[in-house]
Amino acid sequence: MKSFGTTEFLQTVAEFSKSYPEVKIKTNNGTHEQLYDWLREEKIDLAFSDQRRAPSNEYVNDFLTESGLMVAVSQTGEFSHAEQIDVADLADLPCILITDSKQQLAEETYYQEILGVKGGFRLVANYDEAQMLIAANQGYLIVNQRTQNLLDSGIIQTVPLHNGGHELTQKYYMYWKVDNSGFYIETFAEMFEHHFK
């Protein structure tokens, strides 16, 4: 993933490279849709991503971790004292998406259909742009408990996000094609999974 807010992947790459120096590792980062396409087209062997589709029998779906979703809002806005926020309460503010225009439709669809976002969207290129909009009360950003560390807590506050009274979470998996399973792939996945325990 382009932004996950953790070092588990880097730790696994270092550990695997030390144990199996004969194996060359090349890494790519991308959006959920890019990673899915690369895996489907066999441009990559493994993908680490959040779950956005029902599990498929064509792939090994190795669960790694789950993280509660949070909403990042201004410390001076109407939600400054909120202990939790429901997505319905945010309908009058645009949801900020950190993505490019090629992925905008897929991201908007996910946020609307899976997370229940009702209002409009603002597209930005990075966390700095997102934080400027949040600080000016011009939108909110959905992050998780891991990626909230990428935000300036002196300006931005994060609050648990709910939908209809239920806390929203994000699940992360490692995926690979069943017919591409083998010693190195399975070993890398085991090492990666170990770093989340």
Side-chain angles (χ1 to χ4, degrees), residues 163-196:
N163 187 355
H166 300 286
E167 184 179 0
L168 294 173
T169 61
Q170 197 165 35
K171 295 180 180 179
Y172 288 90
Y173 286 80
M174 178 160 274
Y175 304 95
W176 66 92
K177 284 194 168 184
V178 169
D179 61 8
N180 191 29
S181 209
F183 175 78
Y184 290 125
I185 288 176
E186 291 176 12
T187 301
F188 186 90
E190 286 173 15
M191 288 179 176
F192 196 24
E193 189 176 337
H194 174 76
H195 284 286
F196 286 99

Side-chain angles (χ1 to χ4, degrees), residues 79-125:
F79 301 106
S80 61
H81 295 92
E83 293 184 16
Q84 68 182 41
I85 298 174
D86 196 281
V87 288
D89 299 331
L90 298 164
D92 293 335
L93 268 178
C95 178
I96 300 166
L97 299 178
I98 302 175
T99 190
D100 58 41
S101 58
K102 293 177 186 175
Q103 301 298 321
Q104 183 176 359
L105 181 59
E107 289 296 296
E108 287 181 3
T109 300
Y110 169 73
Y111 277 68
Q112 289 169 334
E113 294 180 4
I114 305 301
L115 302 182
V117 171
K118 303 292 184 206
F121 294 93
R122 296 273 309 255
L123 199 66
V124 299

